Structure formats: structure tokens, C-alpha cells
Amino acid sequence: MSFDYSPPKYAQVVAEIQRRIERGDYPPGTLLPSEHQLVADFGVSRPTIVKALSSLRQDGWIETQQGKGSFVRGRPAL
């Protein structure tokens, strides 16, 4: 019997947004797409996007400004 492990959806979203930041799709200083747009892009629920953005913010990838949105900071320094 084989068990396939798949990370939680929010972790998959985090990894993909990090890849997009590193690839330059979301350059530092730019506004990330809205939560609504990310829900549509990734095909996941809003709470999943909120958790992913929270994780990215906590790890230093993005910063959020109330009423404006989430801005890319870039790859955090180690």
C-alpha cells in the first residue's frame, strides 16, 4: 500500500507565491493580486489564501498595509 503525501493547500500556495517572487513575476515593491484574484488563480477557498498570506507575512516575504493590500518584500535575508 502506497501513501502519497501532499502538503496542505495553503503550503502549496505559499510555495508557488515564493516561486513567483523569486522568478520575478512579483518583483519587490509591487502589490500582490487581491485575495479574490488569488482565490480564482489557485482555485482554493479564501481562508486558505488568508492563511498562506499570513505565513508569507510572518516569514518576511510580504508586508500588508491595511486598506491597500499585500506588497512584495522579496526573499527574506537568512
Side-chain angles (χ1 to χ4, degrees), residues 9-42:
K9 287 183 183 178
Y10 87 91
Q12 294 174 32
V13 172
V14 166
E16 179 57 27
I17 291 175
Q18 288 172 338
R19 275 193 293 275
R20 291 179 185 185
I21 290 171
E22 290 178 333
R23 209 170 44 214
D25 296 346
Y26 301 149
T30 60
L31 184 64
L32 279 181
S34 67
E35 288 178 5
H36 179 76
Q37 185 60 50
L38 291 171
V39 165
D41 289 352
F42 288 102

Side-chain angles (χ1 to χ4, degrees), residues 1 5-6 11-12 14 16 24 30 36 38-40 42 44 47 51 53-55 57 59 62-63 68 72 76-77:
M1 184 187 302
Y5 172 76
S6 179
Q12 294 174 32
V14 166
E16 179 57 27
T30 60
H36 179 76
L38 291 171
V39 165
F42 288 102
V44 296
K51 188 169 183 177
L53 292 176
S54 175
S55 177
R57 185 172 41 256
D59 292 343
I62 64 171
E63 64 179 285
K68 292 186 178 182
V72 177

Side-chain angles (χ1 to χ4, degrees), residues 45-67:
S45 68
R46 185 171 175 273
T48 299
I49 293 298
V50 169
K51 188 169 183 177
L53 292 176
S54 175
S55 177
L56 288 164
R57 185 172 41 256
Q58 188 174 20
D59 292 343
W61 287 85
I62 64 171
E63 64 179 285
T64 304
Q65 296 179 12
Q66 185 69 32

